[in-house]
Amino acid sequence: MPKPILIWPDKVLSTRTRPVTEFGPALDPLLEEMMESLRAAEGIGIAANQIGVPLAIAWVGREDGTFFEIANPVVLEKSEPVSFEEGCLSVPHEWEQTPRFAKVRVRYQDRTGAFQELAAEGRLAHVLQHEIDHLEGTTFVDHLSQLKRGLMRKRMQKLQKDRAAEAAGGHVHTDDCDHD
Ligand code: NI
């Protein structure tokens, strides 16, 4: 069973992660767990804190469907602001135009601890910004208006209630339930 992905607003998601200090095989189990949850949810990126591990490491999806890991990432340069329609595994079924930068240059460490630098644009640039945000304790909804965030919070509370009821094996009440 893949580890469940935390649903926003969860305190772990809004807390800055700790830097990764131990590299190499020590990271393999965590990266595998993250990948398992990512694949099960069919996402294009996942941060360790989304499965409850407050470490600065994430998987980032390339446009060709492959993934690479980034640890302790830093944005070195960003270009002009744009907006991009984003969703998040921690905020299921919600998509919103989110302010981002068109291009970013990022420095990070790979799983061996080696420093890498990457200039990205397009979707890859947005996924990088989204995951780096997560590691800093920011979810994409934090970039939205208070009104939108408030509505999302209500929908997430309902989603969690429904999931809890489902897990307990109970009947899930939805608006179109027929009660007698
Ligand atoms: Ni996300």
Side-chain angles (χ1 to χ4, degrees), residues 2-77:
K3 263 194 151 181
I5 292 171
L6 298 181
I7 300 297
W8 175 86
D10 185 293
K11 211 173 157 231
V12 179
L13 294 173
S14 59
T15 307
R16 177 182 281 271
T17 55
R18 293 193 315 268
V20 176
T21 53
E22 236 188 292
F23 292 91
L27 279 179
D28 290 351
L30 172 61
L31 282 168
E32 257 168 60
E33 271 190 325
M34 288 162 62
M35 181 53 77
E36 220 187 311
S37 298
L38 176 61
R39 289 208 192 279
E42 298 179 345
I44 54 174
I46 192 169
N49 49 344
Q50 287 184 277
I51 59 164
V53 179
L55 268 186
I57 189 162
W59 280 113
V60 171
R62 300 185 184 94
E63 301 225 31
D64 66 2
T66 60
F67 292 90
F68 63 102
E69 77 284 3
I70 58 168
N72 306 332
V74 183
V75 177
L76 302 173
E77 269 176 52

Side-chain angles (χ1 to χ4, degrees), residues 45 50 87-90 130-131 134 139-140:
Q50 287 184 277
C88 178
L89 298 178
S90 292
H130 182 109
E131 300 311 326
H134 271 307
T139 308
F140 85 104

Side-chain angles (χ1 to χ4, degrees), residues 124-153:
L124 180 59
H126 300 304
V127 179
L128 278 165
Q129 290 169 78
H130 182 109
E131 300 311 326
I132 292 171
D133 258 8
H134 271 307
L135 301 179
E136 291 171 354
T138 302
T139 308
F140 85 104
V141 301
D142 295 318
H143 294 289
L144 306 178
S145 70
Q146 221 176 337
L147 176 68
K148 280 186 178 162
R149 211 164 40 240
L151 293 171
M152 281 186 180
R153 185 175 282 118

Side-chain angles (χ1 to χ4, degrees), residues 64-109:
D64 66 2
T66 60
F67 292 90
F68 63 102
E69 77 284 3
I70 58 168
N72 306 332
V74 183
V75 177
L76 302 173
E77 269 176 52
K78 41 201 181 191
S79 68
E80 73 279 9
V82 290
S83 82
F84 184 69
E85 192 177 56
E86 262 176 53
C88 178
L89 298 178
S90 292
V91 197
H93 320 303
E94 304 283 346
W95 295 90
E96 284 293 341
Q97 289 291 332
T98 306
R100 293 294 181 195
F101 297 97
K103 298 179 191 174
V104 284
R105 202 157 61 81
V106 172
R107 181 165 53 213
Y108 62 91
Q109 283 167 281

